Amino acid sequence: MSAFSAIGADSETDDEAFTPGIEPQPTWCPGCGDFGVLNALKKAMPEVGRNPDEVAVFTGIGCSGKLNSYFESYGFHTIHGRSLPVARATKLANPGVEVIAAGGDGDGYGIGGNHFIHTARENHDMTYIVFNNEIFGLTKGQTSPTSPKGHKSKTQPSGSAKDPLRPLSLSLSAGASYIARTAAVNPNQAAEILAEAIQHDGFAHVDFLTQCPTWNKDAKQYVPYTDIQESDEYGHDINDRAEAAQAMYDAESKLHEGEILTGRFYVDDERPSYTAEKQAIGEMPEQPLAERYFDEDAEWDRSYDLLEKHK
Amino acid sequence: MPEPDDLMWRIAGGSGDGIDSTSQNFAKALMRSGLNVFTHRHYPSRIRGGHTYVEVRAGNGPVNSRGDGYNFLLTLGDSFARNPSEDAYYGNEEAKPLTENLDELNEGGVIVYDEGLLDEEDVEAINLEERAEENGWHVYPVDLRGIAREHGRDVMRNTAGVGFTAALMDIDPAYFEEIISNGMSGEMKEANLKVLEDAYELGQEVEHTHGWTAPEGEGHDEEQVLLSGSDAISYGAIDEGCRFISGYPMTPWTDVFTIMSQNLPKFGGISEQVEDEIAAAALAIGASHAGVKAMSGSSGGGFALMSEPLGLAEMTETPLVLVEAMRAGPSTGMPTKPEQGDLEHILYTSQGDSTRVVFAPANVEECYTQTRKAFELAYEYQIPAIVAYDQKLQGELRNVPESFFDEEPNADPGSVLTEEEIAEAAHHASDKFKRFLHEPEDGSNVSPRSVPGQEGGRFLATGNEHNEVGHISEDPENRVIQMNRRMGKLDDIREELDATEQSHQTYHGPEDAEYGIITWGSQQDTVFEAVDELNEAGHSVKAVGVSDLMPFPETEMTEFLESVEHAVVVEMNASGQLRGHIQKELGKYGDKLSSLLKYNGNPFEPRDVVEGFETSNGDGELPHQRMTYVPAAGD
Ligand SMILES: Cc1ncc(C[n+]2csc(CCOP(=O)(O)OP(=O)(O)O)c2C)c(N)n1
Ligand code: SF4
């Protein structure tokens, strides 16, 4: 038996395999968009062809951070904003593991903004799902980086003076090689996009519109939506960076005007993943590093060989 | 002037002038000549220009500190002192390497300065002649720049200085020739050899007024290597199977980060320079979570950013090794100056009742062994372990027998199960692996772990309080059990360190001495040298260098304190942090402990400790402002 026999095992999984047994029951509010992400992810997994033991889901803190409590796989519920750096290293240490990271808009675009930019820039082979409900959910309704300008909350009583962050445009500038937006109210598209994102070899960023009926009463803004690939009006070449940038700009401008554009915005299949880049310059071992610790035949060189220059 | 036992050679100039490499080669040559060597590095926080010096001490006996003052000054001038625009010239910087170093030059010492750089008026302006007479110094002006220019370029002044020193001190130039020949090639090599030879000849020709020479090397029993504390930490990590490093540059941590980054890929490992220190620590956690032995680290401010991930590692019981290379704080403080001011920060940072292992090695050998032990404990006990050292130990070089590093590697990732073992292990009814058992089977506090990709090992790691399979739980009973188990590891480790006689504390001086000195980390060997001086002068003193800061060696320290009348805690910070820690851990001795503190950016010299001890004994009083003495409570 290999040390990581779950990896690459022929798996005919159905979405039930990713549903934990008897506990725990989700603590999300009724009607919360987070259920939509969980269901879409479960639905995507059979498509991806991975079994629960070879998948690791990393989350931050917030309502979204509980995703991996309700999803059967290896899970790491990290700290606020830090899912990505933890996830990145697991991927580097064992590229065979399917790495998925998830977080809220406060978690991912606020406190974890720096990590988001740099993970995208490095194009790590992983999927990053941001539960974008335009609000801080778990801390009870404060304005988030994606809340619309003028948004009133207990901490912004006069309404936010800030323009909302443009996550798709930011992601494109930072270097993500797969960028899509989907919505909890559109389960079929969401599952399809997640499956595609997970299979993409590079950093796949999915801005997932989730409604927070508890703190963000404007949640209804997420219906109706238009799939930009389906619509003749918006169809653009998703491999063309300039066209994608324009489409993103339009989508981000229209979001708060009531027209919701979702779908794939940008896909770059040419760009090598970070692992491939690192391997190419000789800074990444061929054999997954994690395997070496279980390999009885592995050779462990010691520092003694380095002492020559100290003599 | 009696013949000094040790050569204490200081080379001074501007940073960027090659002071570092020159002094390293000088030390290496003396080591090869059969002497023991020790270097001490002093540099300002700027890239080019600014006053910098390195001391090389060499002798046949043990040389474990920079010593008191020094006895040979080689000044090169500061070639980067002038601003590019003529009118921005700010004082005679070229004379600075000479003037700024004179205060610590011992009586009867030798001065070599570059006549090619300094005009006669410059030298007159600083009253060198007068001061030399007062102190019995021997001054040798020599046109080092001229010699360098003749065969090569101005920067070879350092080689000229070394050649001239060798002649004045009667050191065989062959050792320097060999280093130049091995380290350079082509024209550079030829030019440097010529410069060395010319300067050496000149040094032989001038009249020697000083009448003393460098000690002749008695030789070593075995091959020696010249290493810094940072080298030793890095090599200890490598030998312990660490193959993943993540970091963000910050002085002086950058040293270990650089050494590891340059070597790990060759060893099949991975190095990541990331966006900030939060990410750096988080990456090390992620790699460790995946089953790889990983390390990160930083200095003061960067380490502060790691406070939150540190707690995450503890709560999720993910092994994590961090290096904290201290420098003077608070805030950005003095980036290139040593201090031991982060002790409390290292011991207690992160929210909640947070526990970790903290070692503070005192020298190159301890940096190696304690880093290895930190890894072993972190991975065996699934707990964060921190190796704390400082800018002094980072920059100093010492010779160590090569055989010291002839150790077997240990790649064992500790308490990780194989898939076969996972299949046998406890699972929850929902099929999740019980990663955080309330009562681990072997009766210990460590619940073995699985890593992603292993069949049947699925669990949730979370920074929230959690139950046996990792799900968030605020159940009071579970909370207490999990807290007790996590905190209990520290007692287990304390027991392990005690029981196997792996004590990292180092003792020095007569066992039955009347008085004690307690110190930690990089100050230890300086204190030990002072203890010898004190005992020779008729005092009755012994000292202990504490390396195990958490878990704290209660038994050992109690024994030490019970055996003395009074103890002075010597440390490089302003608030007596170790002293406070001792009192907290042992719950008493407030009336038995006084503090000798130094926090001016320079480490203790043996004579500082001698003066401080005498002050504590009522025999004297600190003659200068550079140290503070804080008496025991009630005194
Ligand atoms: C360092 C830190 N700062 C603040 C918090 C408190 N906190 C918990 S969740 C959260 C906001 C979550 O908002 P978002 O990421 O949008 O997720 P949501 O709850 O809406 O899913 C904050 C500020 C924390 N846990 N850690
Ligand atoms: S607070 Fe909002 S985001 Fe959180 S669970 Fe409730 S509805 Fe969902």
Side-chain angles (χ1 to χ4, degrees):
Chain A
M1 210 198 284
S2 116
F4 295 97
S5 59
I7 296 174
D10 225 1
S11 48
E12 289 267 324
T13 46
D14 54 23
D15 53 349
E16 278 308 303
F18 294 90
T19 304
I22 48 181
E23 65 165 12
Q25 293 308 309
T27 55
W28 290 322
C29 309
C32 174
D34 294 6
F35 288 104
V37 187
L38 176 64
N39 292 335
L41 186 62
K42 282 186 195 169
K43 224 167 128 187
M45 291 319 289
E47 198 62 37
V48 172
R50 294 279 212 162
N51 70 62
D53 279 327
E54 54 180 338
V55 178
V57 179
F58 297 81
T59 57
I61 298 299
C63 298
S64 64
K66 303 212 174 135
L67 175 73
N68 45 13
S69 297
Y70 317 136
F71 182 82
E72 188 66 27
S73 72
Y74 278 92
F76 204 140
H77 180 214
T78 67
I79 36 181
H80 197 35
R82 317 297 168 206
S83 64
L84 286 175
V86 182
R88 255 150 74 183
T90 293
K91 187 74 194 179
L92 287 165
N94 196 343
V97 174
E98 188 65 67
V99 171
I100 299 169
D105 42 270
D107 183 83
Y109 302 147
I111 191 166
N114 198 21
H115 307 311
F116 173 54
I117 293 171
H118 289 275
T119 312
R121 172 185 157 227
E122 291 167 358
N123 199 31
H124 286 269
D125 178 18
M126 59 170 67
T127 304
Y128 187 37
I129 310 168
V130 181
F131 295 46
N132 185 356
N133 56 12
E134 300 179 2
I135 197 91
F136 281 14
L138 194 68
T139 45
K140 306 197 169 171
Q142 298 81 5
T143 308
S144 95
T146 49
S147 300
K149 192 169 186 176
H151 180 264
K152 282 191 181 161
S153 68
K154 283 185 189 151
T155 51
Q156 304 260 268
S158 317
S160 165
K162 305 174 195 184
D163 268 330
L165 189 108
R166 294 171 168 269
L168 304 173
S169 304
L170 174 64
S171 186
L172 184 72
S173 312
S177 54
Y178 181 103
I179 306 167
R181 170 176 271 171
T182 188
V185 290
N186 186 7
N188 292 334
Q189 185 203 45
E192 221 177 89
I193 282 186
L194 285 184
E196 211 177 87
I198 295 168
Q199 283 164 306
H200 173 77
D201 184 18
F203 186 70
H205 168 216
V206 180
D207 185 63
F208 207 121
L209 301 175
T210 53
Q211 65 277 17
C212 172
T214 307
W215 304 112
N216 203 356
K217 300 294 181 209
D218 295 337
K220 58 185 177 307
Q221 65 173 311
Y222 295 131
V223 214
Y225 62 89
T226 310
D227 186 321
I228 60 163
Q229 264 105 48
E230 306 273 298
S231 158
D232 292 341
E233 203 182 329
Y234 294 103
H236 70 280
D237 180 359
I238 54 171
N239 302 125
D240 186 297
R241 204 182 165 89
E243 277 188 38
Q246 186 60 48
M248 288 174 184
Y249 186 83
D250 291 345
E252 283 162 344
S253 304
K254 286 176 176 158
L255 183 61
H256 301 293
E257 293 162 11
E259 184 174 6
I260 317 299
L261 300 181
T262 62
R264 299 142 185 92
F265 281 83
Y266 183 63
V267 181
D268 179 354
D269 285 321
E270 307 288 307
R271 185 172 169 206
S273 71
Y274 186 60
T275 318
E277 299 272 21
K278 252 180 117 68
Q279 253 162 4
I281 58 164
E283 291 199 346
M284 179 86 191
E286 291 293 330
Q287 181 193 23
L289 192 47
E291 257 179 38
R292 191 124 69 92
Y293 292 86
F294 291 91
D295 183 351
E296 302 216 327
D297 300 326
E299 294 217 359
W300 292 90
D301 293 332
R302 54 195 182 129
S303 68
Y304 200 69
D305 308 331
L306 297 172
L307 293 178
E308 211 47 46
K309 64 170 183 287
H310 296 281
K311 287 180 182 166
Chain B
M1 156 92 207
E3 189 170 308
D5 291 323
D6 291 347
L7 175 62
M8 293 191 277
W9 181 82
R10 182 184 286 194
I11 179 171
S15 34
D17 270 337
I19 303 290
D20 241 15
S21 58
T22 311
S23 59
Q24 274 182 34
N25 288 341
F26 191 80
K28 209 179 241 189
L30 293 179
M31 173 181 86
R32 289 184 184 175
S33 86
L35 291 165
N36 290 317
V37 293
F38 179 96
T39 73
H40 165 72
R41 185 165 173 238
H42 172 107
Y43 64 108
S45 184
R46 53 187 277 189
I47 307 305
R48 301 222 126 172
H51 174 235
T52 165
Y53 67 76
V54 180
E55 271 175 32
V56 177
R57 182 177 175 190
N60 279 306
V63 284
N64 296 324
S65 87
R66 63 189 288 202
D68 291 324
Y70 69 100
N71 53 30
F72 193 111
L73 175 64
L74 169 64
T75 76
L76 294 181
D78 185 346
S79 55
F80 296 100
R82 274 171 213 272
N83 266 351
S85 64
E86 211 32 54
D87 46 354
Y89 183 56
Y90 45 94
N92 190 345
E93 294 282 334
E94 277 168 353
K96 256 191 170 176
L98 182 54
T99 52
E100 293 217 348
N101 288 290
L102 293 177
D103 285 348
E104 290 168 304
L105 180 60
N106 294 338
E107 246 182 65
V110 170
I111 299 171
V112 173
Y113 73 84
D114 192 346
E115 216 181 5
L117 275 183
L118 288 186
D119 300 331
E120 228 168 281
E121 308 92 77
D122 295 337
V123 182
E124 264 164 33
I126 61 170
N127 296 328
L128 184 62
E129 210 172 315
E130 206 176 294
R131 292 188 67 179
E133 207 152 303
E134 273 169 27
N135 292 288
W137 294 332
H138 304 269
V139 185
Y140 297 89
V142 55
D143 185 6
L144 298 173
R145 186 176 65 175
I147 301 173
R149 258 187 199 165
E150 196 175 319
H151 300 290
R153 291 186 294 125
D154 277 19
V155 288
M156 294 179 192
R157 285 178 295 141
N158 47 19
T159 305
V162 167
F164 198 75
T165 301
L168 288 190
M169 293 291 107
D170 215 8
I171 305 168
D172 187 346
Y175 296 108
F176 301 107
E177 277 164 24
E178 191 182 83
I179 284 177
I180 292 172
S181 299
N182 294 342
M184 298 180 189
S185 59
E187 258 174 55
M188 273 282 278
K189 172 173 128 182
E190 294 311 319
N192 270 290
L193 286 173
K194 283 239 170 61
V195 170
L196 183 80
E197 191 187 325
D198 271 19
Y200 188 81
E201 261 171 36
L202 200 65
Q204 283 180 310
E205 280 162 19
V206 298
E207 189 199 341
H208 292 195
T209 60
H210 59 277
W212 51 278
T213 58
E216 197 175 321
E218 286 168 10
H220 301 289
D221 298 340
E222 46 176 319
E223 179 101 59
Q224 302 286 305
V225 285
L226 188 66
L227 253 68
S228 71
S230 304
D231 291 321
I233 288 176
S234 306
Y235 294 175
I238 288 172
D239 287 353
E240 211 50 39
C242 171
R243 291 294 180 274
F244 189 99
I245 182 109
S246 45
Y248 189 82
M250 183 166 186
T251 305
W253 141 258
T254 311
D255 225 29
V256 164
F257 185 36
T258 309
I259 298 167
M260 291 295 279
S261 299
Q262 287 175 353
N263 288 305
L264 273 195
K266 293 188 272 186
F267 284 80
I270 297 172
S271 162
E272 279 290 290
Q273 181 182 322
V274 295
E275 58 271 25
D276 57 37
E277 287 85 351
I278 308 174
L283 263 97
I285 291 171
S288 181
H289 172 68
V292 165
K293 286 174 121 174
M295 177 163 99
S296 185
S298 192
S299 296
F303 184 75
L305 292 182
M306 296 180 162
S307 174
E308 211 195 9
L310 179 67
L312 177 67
E314 191 201 344
M315 189 55 140
T316 58
E317 302 188 60
T318 313
L320 174 68
V321 177
L322 296 177
V323 172
E324 221 272 36
M326 291 177 285
R327 65 191 216 185
S331 192
T332 310
M334 296 197 283
T336 62
K337 298 290 180 286
E339 202 168 276
Q340 298 177 309
D342 293 348
L343 176 61
E344 289 179 354
H345 184 49
I346 294 167
L347 290 173
Y348 309 121
T349 189
S350 200
Q351 60 271 41
D353 296 306
S354 178
T355 56
R356 77 233 27 198
V357 174
V358 180
F359 291 147
N363 49 43
V364 168
E365 288 100 321
E366 291 188 11
C367 281
Y368 179 81
T369 49
Q370 290 177 24
T371 301
R372 291 199 68 159
K373 194 69 192 171
F375 266 95
E376 196 189 308
L377 294 175
Y379 279 80
E380 204 52 63
Y381 289 88
Q382 306 171 4
I383 192 173
I386 298 168
V387 179
Y389 78 138
D390 63 53
Q391 191 269 348
K392 172 180 185 282
L393 197 44
Q394 168 259 325
E396 72 191 22
L397 301 171
R398 293 187 199 209
N399 62 302
V400 181
E402 186 190 22
S403 62
F404 179 80
F405 298 96
D406 192 3
E407 291 272 334
E408 283 308 306
N410 170 32
D412 183 0
S415 44
V416 184
L417 298 179
T418 61
E419 287 190 339
E420 290 87 340
E421 290 165 335
I422 291 172
E424 301 284 306
H427 280 67
H428 184 256
S430 72
D431 219 23
K432 268 207 150 80
F433 169 56
K434 286 195 176 174
R435 163 72 181 89
F436 306 101
L437 289 170
H438 283 173
E439 289 176 14
E441 277 158 25
D442 60 357
S444 79
N445 286 307
V446 179
S447 180
R449 61 191 186 116
S450 60
V451 299
Q454 284 185 313
E455 196 175 290
R458 296 190 304 273
F459 71 98
L460 180 67
T462 169
N464 288 54
E465 188 56 90
H466 45 266
N467 63 18
E468 291 191 299
V469 296
H471 284 306
I472 297 173
S473 165
E474 295 188 351
D475 173 59
E477 207 174 312
N478 172 73
R479 161 70 175 177
V480 174
I481 293 172
Q482 296 286 24
M483 272 304 277
N484 290 352
R485 189 175 57 73
R486 285 191 302 264
M487 304 213 342
K489 293 183 202 173
L490 212 57
D491 291 324
D492 297 347
I493 294 170
R494 195 192 324 267
E495 224 167 89
E496 176 180 335
L497 290 174
D498 278 356
T500 48
E501 289 176 342
Q502 298 186 61
S503 163
H504 291 137
Q505 282 54 255
T506 318
Y507 298 88
H508 193 79
E511 218 167 291
D512 60 352
E514 211 173 329
Y515 295 98
I517 302 182
I518 302 172
T519 191
W520 63 287
S522 67
Q523 302 312 291
Q524 172 185 297
D525 293 355
T526 307
V527 167
F528 289 178
E529 198 172 326
V531 165
D532 290 341
E533 279 178 40
L534 284 164
N535 284 313
E536 270 164 41
H539 295 284
S540 172
V541 202
K542 63 178 174 180
V544 56
V546 189
S547 284
D548 293 351
L549 295 170
M550 202 179 264
F552 194 72
E554 287 167 8
T555 319
E556 276 184 78
M557 292 309 291
T558 304
E559 272 172 20
F560 183 87
L561 280 163
E562 287 300 329
S563 73
V564 293
E565 199 134 302
H566 179 94
V568 193
V569 186
V570 175
E571 52 186 324
M572 270 194 295
N573 59 56
S575 57
Q577 298 187 23
L578 177 63
R579 175 184 171 183
H581 185 53
I582 296 171
Q583 283 175 234
K584 175 175 184 281
E585 289 287 324
L586 303 183
K588 51 182 172 177
Y589 298 119
D591 54 352
K592 214 173 195 180
L593 294 168
S594 60
S595 278
L596 182 66
L597 307 170
K598 190 171 179 183
Y599 44 92
N600 67 353
N602 294 309
F604 282 95
E605 289 176 36
R607 64 181 168 201
D608 292 334
V609 181
V610 168
E611 283 164 11
F613 178 83
E614 284 171 348
T615 305
S616 77
N617 236 9
D619 288 350
E621 130 186 18
L622 295 185
H624 40 64
Q625 282 296 308
R626 63 181 183 164
M627 289 184 297
T628 303
Y629 177 72
V630 185
D635 270 19

